[in-house]
Amino acid sequence: MRSFKLVPLVTAAAALLALAPAGASARRAHNSVHAHAVRPCHIHLEAPKGPIANGDPATFVGALNCPPSTSAGSRQVTLYEQSAPKASFVPVATATTEPSGAFQVTPPVFVTNSVFYAVTEGAQSARKAIRVTAAITAVPPTPVEGAQLFTGGGRNLRRHNRVTFAGEVSPLDKGAIVALQRESATATEEWRKIDQGTVDASGKYSIVHTFGLPGDANLRVVVHPRKINAPAATSPVSYEISSAENPALTLETATDPLLYGESTKLKGVVAGANEGTPVTLLAHGRGGHFATVATGHTDKNGAYEFTQTPLTNTLYRVSSGATNSAGLFEGVKYALTVSPTPSTVQAGQPLTFSGSVQPALVGHPVYLERQGLLKLGWHVIDVGTVGAPSHLGEAAPFSIVHSFSTPGTAQVRVKIPGDPDNQSAEGAPSSLTITPVPASALRPEAPGNGKLPTEGQL
């Protein structure tokens, strides 16, 4: 009897099991179709590569990818930003996707390191971080470029000839180290620290320095914030450092600094000298020793004069009998020629800045600089190098290829920084208009677009 009752039950169960795979397959197929129909869109965001100069605009590009049955065009994209030291994200800009789903968005100018992501209709991109350089400027009493500075000398002269390098950084960077750097005896971006200070609570810094030896000085100030900003440097400037003058035998120059190939008159007075008193002009360049380059005699007033055409930075001294003048440093600037560039370029398109420089020093860096929106100074946005001249003694060529991603206007210039042999020179500023292009025509910024000088020794 028990067996009789079990047979129908087993048969019914087997029938149900036989039907189960077909029903499950149908449900899976239905779910698959439904999932395909509602498969979400995905949004991709690309941030600019490398540090962005404080206050400069920058454009983000991205794309919305949707299933074939869903249009990716005409969607609103919102860009969210968390800027240091704030902890929360806030919306900062919006854009509308093109029919292809591509979009570009330019948020307000950056002042601190930031993190971004983009959102549209439930889709959120991965987070992208950018680094923003500190806004460092030099202000008086920092000497102007080309100023004649003097060595410290004795105790009184050391106090009198102290030089102050002052400037401003954001108060957010208070406590950050600021290093006064001098280029080493090479032309390959080797910067060493010669003094330092700190940023105070108001964002200001001041470094007081005394120079011990006459000669050239290519200087800059670098700030190294902790977390709020990326390190930044002032544009390098060239100075001439001479010894404190000897009133018994003076020496001065008519033109300082000189442009490569120019001449100057060196003159002075031998105190109490009779007419016809012999005077000797001595000179040496980097790493050399004083050697006679000219001789002459005083006039009835004890005055003398020499004409010189130095091709590199040169230290001069005059002797008369047992009396020597102080060392006088004569700076010689590079002769820089910049080729004309178009006044308009499309966003994302490479633009070549070229020209030539004398004397030729193969491998020497050349800067492409941009003026900040607040017009407080210039900062480097790309670095090129000097090539080889066609013939010995001729000017050497250089070129820098750079792309600007954000539409608008930019003030740019080319500058060749100084080195131990010659002083810096810059071309005339030019205005550049960057015209917009469709987002689909833009490509993510290449990592190599925009090299920057090294931080040097901190």
Side-chain angles (χ1 to χ4, degrees):
M1 295 293 294
R2 185 175 299 172
S3 299
F4 177 79
K5 291 180 179 179
L6 287 177
V7 169
L9 293 175
V10 170
T11 304
L16 290 174
L17 289 173
L19 293 173
S25 297
R27 283 194 298 274
R28 283 197 297 270
H30 173 76
N31 291 340
S32 176
V33 171
H34 181 70
H36 179 75
V38 299
R39 182 165 60 88
C41 299
H42 297 279
I43 187 170
H44 179 71
L45 183 68
E46 283 288 342
K49 302 295 189 297
I52 297 172
N54 199 293
D56 274 4
T59 295
F60 291 75
V61 297
L64 180 65
N65 298 310
C66 294
S69 60
T70 304
S71 173
S74 300
R75 304 285 191 98
Q76 180 173 292
V77 177
T78 302
L79 188 69
Y80 285 79
E81 175 191 21
Q82 178 214 341
S83 58
K86 299 176 183 177
S88 60
F89 283 88
V90 295
V92 292
T94 60
T96 302
T97 59
E98 298 174 1
S100 65
F103 66 89
Q104 57 181 310
V105 57
T106 303
V109 295
F110 308 104
V111 294
T112 62
N113 295 339
S114 302
V115 178
F116 292 85
Y117 66 82
V119 171
T120 180
E121 300 181 21
Q124 179 175 318
S125 72
R127 295 182 178 184
K128 300 291 183 177
I130 63 167
R131 300 173 70 217
V132 181
T133 60
I136 182 169
T137 58
V139 300
T142 301
V144 297
E145 183 161 16
Q148 180 75 67
L149 309 179
F150 295 94
T151 58
R155 179 178 301 176
N156 293 333
L157 288 177
R158 183 177 296 111
R159 183 173 61 252
H160 178 72
N161 291 332
R162 289 174 178 169
V163 183
T164 299
F165 298 88
E168 297 179 358
V169 186
S170 169
L172 292 173
D173 293 319
K174 64 181 180 181
I177 295 175
V178 282
L180 177 63
Q181 294 180 339
R182 184 171 184 173
E183 192 176 25
S184 298
T186 65
T188 56
E189 295 280 45
E190 294 180 10
W191 296 91
R192 61 183 177 87
K193 182 177 69 176
I194 59 174
D195 219 326
Q196 73 174 48
T198 55
V199 178
D200 66 19
S202 64
K204 298 180 179 179
Y205 68 86
S206 180
I207 303 172
V208 180
H209 186 76
T210 302
F211 294 94
L213 297 173
D216 73 297
N218 300 299
L219 304 177
R220 70 179 187 180
V221 176
V222 172
V223 61
H224 197 271
R226 293 183 174 90
K227 296 180 180 179
I228 302 299
N229 287 107
T234 58
S235 183
V237 292
S238 297
Y239 297 109
E240 299 118 33
I241 305 170
S242 296
S243 301
E245 192 171 59
N246 177 7
L249 178 48
T250 62
L251 173 61
E252 61 184 34
T253 178
T255 306
D256 189 26
L258 296 171
L259 187 64
Y260 180 83
E262 289 183 340
S263 300
T264 187
K265 293 185 181 299
L266 303 175
K267 55 186 179 179
V269 175
V270 182
N274 296 321
E275 183 176 4
T277 300
V279 289
T280 302
L281 179 66
L282 303 99
H284 77 75
R286 173 169 63 100
H289 301 280
F290 278 114
T292 299
V293 293
T295 58
H297 297 83
T298 60
D299 62 16
K300 61 181 180 181
N301 298 315
Y304 65 88
E305 183 177 284
F306 297 100
T307 299
Q308 291 288 295
T309 309
L311 299 180
T312 60
N313 299 331
T314 302
L315 187 65
Y316 288 99
R317 188 177 72 191
V318 170
S319 65
S320 181
T323 306
N324 292 318
S325 73
L328 173 70
F329 180 77
E330 180 72 52
V332 180
K333 296 170 68 73
Y334 277 103
L336 177 67
T337 301
V338 181
S339 302
T341 56
S343 59
T344 303
V345 66
Q346 284 189 331
Q349 293 300 307
L351 181 62
T352 300
F353 298 83
S354 61
S356 61
V357 62
Q358 258 188 322
L361 183 57
V362 178
H364 192 291
V366 182
Y367 295 158
L368 176 62
E369 295 186 327
R370 182 172 184 171
Q371 190 177 44
L373 293 179
L374 300 179
K375 301 187 184 301
L376 296 177
W378 296 84
H379 55 268
V380 181
I381 60 174
D382 213 335
V383 180
T385 55
V386 176
S390 299
H391 300 91
L392 186 65
E394 293 184 349
F398 69 85
S399 65
I400 303 172
V401 180
H402 187 82
S403 298
F404 297 85
S405 61
T406 303
T409 59
Q411 292 291 319
V412 294
R413 72 178 186 184
V414 172
K415 179 172 183 175
I416 179 165
D419 57 63
D421 286 324
N422 293 94
Q423 294 194 341
S424 64
E426 61 278 338
S430 61
S431 181
L432 180 65
T433 299
I434 303 109
T435 58
V437 296
S440 55
L442 288 173
R443 295 293 179 268
E445 184 180 4
N449 181 48
K451 307 177 188 67
L452 295 178
T454 63
E455 291 180 25
Q457 183 188 73
L458 297 173

